[in-house]
Amino acid sequence: MKFRNTISVLSCAATAALFLGATLGCGDKTTSNGTNGGNGGGNGDAPVAVNRPAPLGEGNSVATGDDVIKIGLIASQNGNLRPWGVDSVDGAMLAVKQINDAGGIDGKQIKLVVGDSNSKPEEGKNAAEKLVSEGVIGLIGEVSSGITAQLADVAKERGVPLVAVGATKPDITTKGSNIFRVCYTDDLQGPVMAVFAFRDLGLTKVAIVTDVKQPYSTGLSETFRTKFEALGGEIVDVQNYETGSTAFNGQIANLKAKNPQGLFLSGYFNEVGPFVYQARDQGIGKEVYVFGGDGWDSAEILNSGGDAILGGYFCNHYNENDDRPEVASFLAAWKAEHGGVPGTTMGALGYDATALMIDAIGRAAELNSASVTEALEATVDFKGVSGDITLLDQNGNPPKRAIVVELTNDGQSFTKAYEASEIIGE
Amino acid sequence: MIDLVTSGALAGLSLDPSTLPQQLVNGLLIGAIYALIALGYTMVYGVLRLINFAHGEVFMLGAYAALFVSYGFGYTADAGDIAGGTWTLLAIMLLVSMISCAIVGAVIEFFAYRPMRNQTRIAALITAIGVSLLIQYGGQLFLPAQPPPSISEKVLPADIRGSYDFNLISPDPQLESDLAAAKTAADAADSELEKMLTDTGQREFDLEPEHPLRAAKFETIGEVRSLSAEIENSSVSVTVPRGQAVMFGTVVLLMTLLWWLVMHTRTGRAMRAASHDFDSASLMGINVNRVVTITFIIGSALAGAGAMMNATFLRTPLTPFFGFMPGVKAFVAAVLGGIGNIPGAVLGGFVMGLAETLVVWAGYGQYKDAVAFVILIVILLFRPGGLLGSSKVEKV
């Protein structure tokens, strides 16, 4: 019965196709952020009373006779997040060098121990366990929210404080009272872009384009929509796609018929670049603005989006052309130490996280993890490169400033900075 | 009367008849690519009764081949100002893509499938999945994944940028001239603002929105927007990006070539014979190994052509997983049309493309990929032979 064989082979093949889909679905999430459970992510909101659980372990301490204080950094020194990992290590090394050149803390030198997460959550966790066993007093890292969530588990269990570099997923800091971050959360960038679109671009009718496979994107679209509508704007259309989509003609034709004045694309650069390119190709003119969140932060977007994406705006953590004095001195120090400028925002955030940790160690009553955690929690107006950082009563999420940048031929051009209080106060 | 649209059951449903013609054209454009890839699945199945799961990966490698050619001609990420590409360059990219895919296809067949030919079909199928995973994950070691650049926009010659616009219901010519005037006014207002900013060293977004020059810019741009909206609402037009029109033309040309090759050459006859009955064909003096190799070469070359055009005209960033989704969809297209049946694969490709865009048209963009699997399940349940496939029991 050849025919029956055909059917069974087809069914097997179909199953296999579904199976492969599942495999890919799991293997492809290294950069995914999420916003579910966003309590405690209230940048600049009156701090939400989240009962952050106390750490379980006792952490490490520096013996009185020691002349070095060890801190640990987890970074993706290999794997697909390598550009971010390399920058955060360089930034951290710069901060450590500066304090050591200035004589260290109480005569003790700071020693930075770096662990490689290889862009994978489980390897990040192993590296963190190893560093804690080696006696680091505090942990710094990571850029990806997925890896940071693992580090947070280790930090909570072992009792060492964690300062995340670039993880924007709101619920990471709710894991324990010793988890902090130096970046804003996804609850800030949506409203920032809404205010920018409504007030500075003068848009009243905007369409939202969401990558429904990324919690980062769905959450960001939602926070944008809420703020934009509260300001009095109108969302004229919502179009969705999934990570990995390559052709967006259908969504674009729908959008075109609704005549939006601007498109808010909350996804990652992988899809946003081609989306905008195809939209311009299909006659959505330059008078229709495109803008999005920090998922756009990659040079690849300029390649895939081409000329079409130039003039697009997105929300970022920091920009080299920002006029704060900390930025200029950071860039000068970076140039002297590493040459050139940081390739990504993570150079500055890695520097900030490390400098904040060192600052807290300096302020701590005793040289042990618990005291450093208390000092971190008590941080008020720490002058970071990416903005002033206050952690006191913020559940680990500093109310940060957010920068809107414009994509130009030369990369990202600083457009406007917003303080969190400014946005929430609107 | 229950309003289904607002009651939640069909929230998101939006059937706008004025965009339907555009969506149908979109469906055909994307369907053409699916059809091209589906041909590779169906031809291999026709001859070997094997689902070549590595076909999507061959597609992916073709896109990388095109990328490397564009690098070779200087269109790298850090190439500064570089002259636009030419048709010759596009043709070279297309040919290199097709040839590399043909070689990869033949190599896969020789090393992976030929030793398995006399084993059970399920063993061959698992081998195919293995090859697919090997290339996907092995590719991660050797192929530049993001963020290295995809094919530079600049490889496209100037005359295939922009789009062809067809008006089914023309807008009022008065409106169009008004729009042109409004655009001129908006450009003037914009350059006046720019000039003031450069002269005074100020930044646009530091100014108050009420600043007269900014207000003038807002007003003129608003006029452009409302006029375009009026034109858009009063007319029905179809826009075909030129690149995608070229893509469609090339696909049709390749399909015609394939049809000629299969129906009017000795090789084609040998392929049809092998497809009809592999063993008897071999007994009749047909070199079946050669036929199988040629089938892989042709199918893979078609995938290579599709990959090059997909990466170039749709600007998809390349990753080693680039071929996965198109591969799965083309596989569904092949099954839908009747696997093993060449016109079926073409029909299936177009139906898939249309189904996808219609789902998006209805406002369910998030189910665009899911619809492929729904079609697969439905077709396996109700018409396993496919639309054009024979549903009769084959003789043993």
Side-chain angles (χ1 to χ4, degrees):
Chain A
M1 290 295 288
K2 224 172 178 181
F3 176 62
R4 183 171 292 162
N5 282 343
T6 309
I7 306 246
S8 66
V9 169
L10 280 182
S11 314
C12 288
T15 322
L18 292 164
F19 158 76
L20 280 177
T23 321
L24 181 73
C26 303
D28 200 17
K29 287 251 169 61
T30 38
T31 51
S32 88
N33 290 332
T35 54
N36 40 350
N39 56 349
N43 273 290
D45 273 324
V48 190
V50 175
N51 217 350
R52 297 206 297 163
L56 304 173
E58 299 224 326
N60 293 319
S61 56
V62 179
T64 36
D66 284 0
D67 55 358
V68 291
I69 301 169
K70 279 201 263 187
I71 56 174
L73 169 72
I74 307 292
S76 301
Q77 292 178 295
N78 287 293
N80 58 347
L81 305 180
R82 185 176 146 81
W84 285 344
V86 169
D87 276 356
S88 55
V89 173
D90 284 354
M93 276 166 39
L94 182 59
V96 170
K97 182 170 187 291
Q98 284 179 350
I99 186 74
N100 286 343
D101 286 354
I105 294 171
D106 295 340
K108 295 185 199 300
Q109 294 276 297
I110 299 284
K111 187 176 176 211
L112 181 74
V113 197
V114 182
D116 183 9
S117 69
N118 199 17
S119 306
K120 294 190 178 104
E122 63 280 7
E123 293 194 30
K125 182 171 189 170
N126 291 342
E129 294 276 9
K130 185 160 168 279
L131 293 189
V132 174
S133 304
E134 285 175 12
V136 299
I137 193 170
L139 273 177
I140 303 158
E142 236 269 1
V143 173
S144 140
S145 294
I147 303 173
T148 311
Q150 296 292 322
L151 305 190
D153 288 340
V154 175
K156 184 192 169 195
E157 200 150 305
R158 305 287 291 266
V160 294
L162 172 71
V163 178
V165 173
T168 53
K169 185 178 176 179
D171 64 0
I172 284 175
T173 43
T174 61
K175 286 193 173 202
S177 61
N178 58 339
I179 321 287
F180 307 91
R181 73 179 107 211
V182 292
C183 53
Y184 57 63
T185 72
D186 293 332
D187 290 346
L188 176 68
Q189 17 179 3
V192 161
M193 290 316 287
V195 169
F196 178 73
F198 187 79
R199 208 177 53 191
D200 294 302
L201 297 178
L203 307 181
T204 51
K205 292 183 163 64
V206 165
I208 295 179
V209 182
T210 307
D211 179 349
V212 287
K213 227 171 171 177
Q214 299 289 354
Y216 159 78
S217 177
T218 52
L220 188 54
S221 290
E222 203 43 52
T223 53
F224 173 83
R225 171 201 271 269
T226 312
K227 186 69 183 180
F228 194 70
E229 287 179 342
L231 289 167
E234 187 192 347
I235 303 296
V236 290
D237 199 12
V238 176
Q239 291 295 320
N240 300 319
Y241 64 86
E242 283 195 308
T243 308
S245 295
T246 57
F248 305 100
N249 301 9
Q251 286 92 335
I252 291 163
N254 286 353
L255 288 170
K256 204 178 162 200
K258 296 284 172 50
N259 302 300
Q261 300 166 348
L263 304 180
F264 179 70
L265 301 115
S266 61
Y268 284 122
F269 60 91
N270 305 351
E271 286 81 23
V272 168
F275 194 106
V276 174
Y277 182 90
Q278 292 172 30
R280 300 281 190 233
D281 229 12
Q282 281 204 46
I284 293 189
K286 277 279 188 187
E287 72 274 8
V288 179
Y289 289 105
V290 292
F291 45 99
D294 68 341
W296 287 33
D297 184 15
S298 162
E300 170 64 21
I301 201 165
L302 286 172
N303 286 299
S304 60
D307 286 346
I309 198 106
L310 296 181
Y313 297 98
F314 70 94
C315 195
N316 213 338
H317 301 267
Y318 129 100
N319 185 272
E320 285 145 22
N321 301 323
D322 196 347
D323 47 14
R324 302 172 76 252
E326 289 85 359
V327 174
S329 58
F330 165 72
L331 286 175
W334 183 284
K335 193 167 184 193
E337 180 70 17
H338 305 296
V341 291
T344 69
T345 309
M346 297 311 151
L349 288 180
Y351 176 87
D352 277 358
T354 314
L356 175 66
M357 178 67 85
I358 292 169
D359 182 67
I361 292 171
R363 285 184 282 117
E366 292 168 55
L367 284 181
N368 60 43
S369 295
S371 289
V372 175
T373 304
E374 277 168 31
L376 280 169
E377 176 69 32
T379 304
V380 175
D381 282 343
F382 171 79
K383 298 282 175 202
V385 175
S386 61
D388 292 349
I389 297 169
T390 294
L391 289 168
L392 184 63
D393 294 335
Q394 300 291 343
N395 289 313
N397 303 314
K400 281 294 291 286
R401 62 209 302 269
I403 314 282
V404 177
V405 294
E406 180 184 355
L407 282 168
T408 66
N409 262 325
D410 308 322
Q412 302 172 10
S413 132
F414 174 79
T415 300
K416 189 158 185 171
Y418 291 93
E419 298 295 337
S421 52
E422 200 182 334
I423 296 302
I424 307 301
E426 278 288 320
Chain B
M1 198 177 97
I2 303 170
D3 187 346
L4 277 178
V5 177
T6 50
S7 68
L10 286 174
L13 184 70
S14 73
L15 301 175
D16 180 352
S18 72
T19 55
L20 187 57
Q22 173 76 62
Q23 297 289 25
L24 293 176
V25 170
N26 288 344
L28 290 179
L29 289 172
I30 191 66
I33 290 288
Y34 293 151
L36 205 55
I37 315 174
L39 283 169
Y41 276 108
T42 222
M43 286 170 64
V44 167
Y45 186 86
V47 173
L48 278 186
R49 299 288 180 271
L50 165 75
I51 309 282
N52 177 17
F53 263 116
H55 196 58
E57 277 54 59
V58 173
F59 177 81
M60 176 272 285
L61 292 174
Y64 272 101
L67 174 76
F68 294 140
V69 174
S70 79
Y71 279 4
F73 279 83
Y75 293 91
T76 52
D78 20 77
D81 257 344
I82 185 166
T86 57
W87 286 89
T88 323
L89 173 60
L90 282 188
I92 294 174
M93 284 167 71
L94 184 73
L95 279 178
V96 173
S97 247
M98 291 177 71
I99 292 168
S100 350
C101 283
I103 295 171
V104 170
V107 167
I108 292 175
E109 191 275 325
F110 187 80
F111 286 104
Y113 300 151
R114 192 165 293 186
M116 302 302 291
R117 198 176 295 161
N118 294 324
Q119 308 295 324
T120 55
R121 277 197 208 165
I122 194 75
L125 184 73
I126 291 168
T127 309
I129 294 175
V131 173
S132 163
L133 292 176
L134 176 74
I135 298 180
Q136 269 180 21
Y137 289 91
Q140 285 192 304
L141 295 177
F142 305 107
L143 297 170
Q146 315 140 346
S150 303
I151 293 170
S152 163
E153 174 183 39
K154 301 198 174 83
V155 301
L156 294 183
D159 48 352
I160 50 173
R161 301 192 190 173
S163 56
Y164 299 110
D165 296 310
F166 307 96
N167 280 319
L168 302 181
I169 300 175
S170 294
D172 187 350
Q174 178 62 38
L175 280 176
E176 287 197 309
S177 61
D178 285 357
L179 177 65
K183 275 187 172 155
T184 321
D187 285 346
D190 192 38
S191 52
E192 201 175 335
L193 176 67
E194 284 297 325
K195 185 172 176 299
M196 190 278 285
L197 293 174
T198 12
D199 288 351
T200 59
Q202 284 175 292
R203 286 196 302 237
E204 178 179 354
F205 295 103
D206 292 342
L207 303 177
E208 285 298 303
E210 294 79 26
H211 185 281
L213 288 180
R214 267 196 96 184
K217 181 187 165 186
F218 281 170
E219 193 177 325
T220 48
I221 253 193
E223 186 65 20
V224 172
R225 290 195 191 112
S226 64
L227 281 169
S228 340
E230 214 171 315
I231 289 178
E232 181 68 39
N233 290 339
S234 67
S235 66
V236 176
S237 67
V238 172
T239 304
V240 182
R242 291 185 186 187
Q244 293 183 37
V246 171
M247 182 166 92
F248 190 79
T250 315
V251 171
V252 171
L253 180 72
L254 289 171
M255 284 175 180
T256 317
L257 267 176
L258 177 72
W259 172 80
W260 171 79
L261 192 122
V262 172
M263 301 310 287
H264 294 279
T265 61
R266 277 176 67 87
T267 312
R269 201 188 301 165
M271 282 168 67
R272 281 181 287 143
S275 162
H276 188 75
D277 190 328
F278 195 81
D279 295 333
S280 308
S282 136
L283 290 174
M284 296 296 147
I286 292 174
N287 182 345
V288 285
N289 280 336
R290 189 170 152 270
V291 167
V292 169
T293 306
I294 289 174
T295 307
F296 269 87
I297 284 178
I298 295 172
S300 304
L302 292 177
M308 176 269 169
M309 292 189 287
N310 198 323
T312 313
F313 297 121
L314 297 176
R315 312 214 55 71
T316 319
L318 298 186
T319 72
F321 301 101
F322 175 71
F324 175 75
M325 243 331 165
V328 168
K329 286 182 181 167
F331 164 67
V332 176
V335 175
L336 174 63
I339 194 147
N341 182 314
I342 290 181
V346 176
L347 176 72
F350 284 118
V351 171
M352 276 291 300
L354 287 171
E356 265 188 27
T357 39
L358 288 179
V359 166
V360 177
W361 174 62
Y364 296 104
Q366 65 269 42
Y367 299 121
K368 188 177 152 208
D369 291 339
V371 75
F373 296 102
V374 172
I375 291 179
L376 180 62
I377 292 166
V378 169
I379 206 84
L380 287 178
L381 281 177
F382 296 107
R383 202 175 158 81
L387 293 178
L388 297 189
S390 61
S391 52
K392 67 177 193 296
V393 175
E394 289 176 34
K395 280 186 198 147
V396 181

